Amino acid sequence: MTGPTVVLGLPIDCTGIFAGCERAPAALRAAGLVTHLGLPDLGDLPIRIDDPTRDPATGMIGYRQVVAVSHVIRDAVHDLLAGGQRPLLIGGCCTLMIGTAAALNGLYGDDVGLVFVDGHADCYDGISSPTGEAADMDLAIVTGSGPAELTALSGHAPMIRPRHTALIGTRDLDAARRDGSPNPPPGAIVIPAEAINGLAEASTAGRTALGALLDRVARFWLHLDLDVLSSEALPAVDYPIPGGLDWDELAAIVGPMIASPSCVGIDVTIYNPTLDHDGRSAQRIVGFLESVTGRHSESS
């Protein structure tokens, strides 16, 4: 099986103030996502995070809502995977990884990995995070570090073993360490952005990470945070960082991963339509997804 089989929107933004990412599913549909990919569209889950209060115990914004939203995502993704679907989740913010990891662990136990393609390592905790947003902490949580209500959302922690993760394209590790953030999960495969400079290196990075991960697990989930791209490639993200990949480099990394029969699902996050005044970024994202999923040849 190659390519996703169904689209599901997850309209959440963990700032608690509706900063814009929650509009991404609707904006990408308006730009032709469903038409171009030719996939069944399940609409959006009825989820929201609108509490901007930073919880004093966990350091997380809207903590109770993050827990509730993660339960809903867990159950929905579990049902799709158990029914033989290969979902394409359209976020929203990276908070969706918590419920998704719970679904993966509930179905596959420890025999599942996570390819984390992201400009940020997302390994902050509630103390070191400068924002308190769950999207600062999602990788830490799914690999076992954080509030127990979230780290063991599947009934087991960690939901993804640290050595079953591959981080690709990160470029905030030094800044995160200066903030006091813990390091990436121990034993994780880490290929930072500075190790990728051009198509050949991007292709090698993707093959290397995928090969190493599949030596450890039988299947994996692909998380794609679009801030792995440079601001020149995609300006419509909330927390841009200098540097980053171009679209061709990103395609060289994730295209073979999406084509792998071991990939059980994909999520795409962090596009902010309020920063995309002419809609060009939405159109570029749709074209990219059409290309890397191979749906253009199936729906044309």
Side-chain angles (χ1 to χ4, degrees):
M1 177 173 61
T2 59
T5 60
V6 66
V7 172
L8 178 64
L10 280 67
I12 51 172
D13 176 83
C14 61
T15 64
I17 58 173
F18 299 120
C21 285
E22 77 284 352
R23 302 184 189 187
L28 292 174
R29 288 188 181 99
L33 176 74
V34 174
T35 302
H36 283 263
L37 269 62
L39 294 173
D41 181 9
L42 302 183
D44 291 345
L45 289 182
I47 52 178
R48 59 192 284 145
I49 299 171
D50 59 7
D51 176 9
T53 306
R54 191 163 184 172
D55 177 59
T58 65
M60 189 179 295
I61 288 174
Y63 176 66
R64 298 307 330 164
Q65 290 184 333
V66 170
V67 173
V69 160
S70 297
H71 276 86
V72 174
I73 295 171
R74 177 197 63 190
D75 294 346
V77 175
H78 179 280
D79 289 349
L80 289 174
L81 293 171
Q85 300 285 4
R86 195 186 197 199
L88 171 60
L89 306 182
I90 303 297
C93 71
C94 298
T95 304
L96 63 79
M97 262 319 309
I98 300 168
T100 299
L104 294 168
N105 184 257
L107 276 171
Y108 308 123
D110 289 334
D111 193 17
V112 63
L114 173 61
V115 177
F116 201 83
V117 181
D118 197 319
H120 301 85
D122 293 358
C123 287
Y124 283 100
D125 55 28
I127 296 173
S128 61
S129 169
T131 68
E133 296 171 15
D136 273 356
M137 314 176 202
D138 51 291
L139 184 59
I141 288 168
V142 305
T143 54
S145 178
E149 280 184 288
L150 293 176
T151 59
L153 189 64
S154 66
H156 178 268
M159 297 184 290
I160 305 289
R161 288 192 178 187
R163 67 183 305 272
H164 292 172
T165 60
L167 284 67
I168 304 177
T170 55
R171 55 190 195 278
D172 76 329
L173 291 175
D174 289 341
R177 290 185 183 111
R178 287 194 295 271
D179 289 335
S181 171
N183 289 321
I189 302 154
V190 180
I191 303 178
E194 56 263 31
I196 303 169
N197 185 21
L199 282 177
E201 289 184 357
S203 180
T204 297
R207 289 197 311 270
T208 298
L210 183 58
L213 193 63
L214 291 180
D215 282 341
R216 305 175 185 185
V217 293
R219 57 189 65 82
F220 68 95
W221 183 274
L222 174 61
H223 165 73
L224 175 54
D225 180 329
L226 292 170
D227 69 19
V228 75
L229 291 160
S230 70
S231 294
E232 291 75 23
L234 184 71
V237 298
D238 288 325
Y239 296 111
I241 321 170
L245 308 180
D246 64 29
W247 288 104
D248 289 339
E249 290 168 337
L250 183 58
I253 292 168
V254 304
M257 293 178 178
I258 294 170
S260 169
S262 298
C263 180
V264 298
I266 308 152
D267 73 81
V268 179
T269 67
I270 298 300
Y271 161 62
N272 187 336
T274 68
L275 303 176
D276 184 18
H277 305 297
D278 58 8
R280 290 184 182 179
S281 290
Q283 293 171 3
R284 189 66 184 85
I285 294 166
V286 169
F288 173 79
L289 291 174
E290 183 182 13
S291 174
V292 296
T293 62
R295 298 301 305 186
H296 58 288
S297 61
E298 298 177 30
S299 58
S300 60

